[in-house]
Amino acid sequence: MPSNSRVTIAAHALAWLELARRRGRPWLTSDEVAASVNTNPVILRRSLGDLRRAGLVRARRGTGAGFALARPADEITMYDVWAAVDPEPLLALHNSEPNPECPVGRGIQPVLTDVYDDASAAFGAALRRRTIAGMLERILR
């Protein structure tokens, strides 16, 4: 699954968990969350597992099993979500070293590293400005 889809599914799940909490249901099963996302519960459980490992949701087994937010929704940023499900760099350099005999090959990686660092910083800053609670408020308008 593309990483952007994983981020979208995770954000959707967190927003649904927050809405359920506000409605007096702090715990939802993966089937209940999957129904909102309209995806297979197995796919959703993988996403919830990533979110659990990142400390964004809690899991409970047995009677009353399910998932709940581990932190207040206004403290969970989209950057937290992205980092939980897609820890790879936003942009990457060549898989193999470029030709050092070529003038472009010899000098492109440091230049691209600067460009990618700037882009990644801007991307991260944008995601840090958005919280699950803020996004849910926009959804519910």
Side-chain angles (χ1 to χ4, degrees):
M1 177 183 311
S3 63
N4 60 350
S5 294
R6 290 193 313 266
V7 172
T8 299
I9 288 170
H12 185 141
L14 291 169
W16 181 228
L17 286 170
E18 172 59 8
L19 181 59
R21 185 199 63 77
R22 291 179 185 186
R23 291 178 172 175
R25 293 212 43 227
W27 295 91
L28 293 177
T29 67
S30 58
D31 287 344
E32 290 172 311
V33 180
S36 176
V37 178
N38 198 23
T39 193
N40 185 302
V42 172
I43 291 171
L44 187 74
R45 279 191 286 277
R46 279 189 225 131
S47 181
L48 290 168
D50 290 336
L51 297 172
R52 185 187 54 75
R53 283 185 289 282
L56 303 180
V57 299
R58 294 181 290 154
R60 182 166 72 181
R61 295 180 188 253
T63 305
F67 294 88
L69 294 181
R71 300 192 332 222
D74 61 354
E75 294 177 12
I76 300 173
T77 69
M78 281 302 296
Y79 184 84
D80 297 327
V81 177
W82 177 74
V85 301
D86 190 21
E88 297 296 318
L90 181 61
L91 301 163
L93 296 174
H94 307 79
N95 286 329
S96 59
E97 289 296 317
N99 183 350
E101 302 302 317
C102 171
V104 173
R106 186 171 46 249
I108 195 161
Q109 287 190 330
V111 173
L112 284 177
T113 296
D114 289 345
V115 171
Y116 292 174
D117 286 351
D118 288 348
S120 294
F123 177 77
L127 293 182
R128 283 181 180 92
R129 288 192 299 269
R130 307 288 185 182
T131 66
I132 295 299
M135 291 185 350
L136 182 58
E137 293 305 319
R138 289 182 63 195
I139 292 165
L140 298 176
R141 281 190 202 155

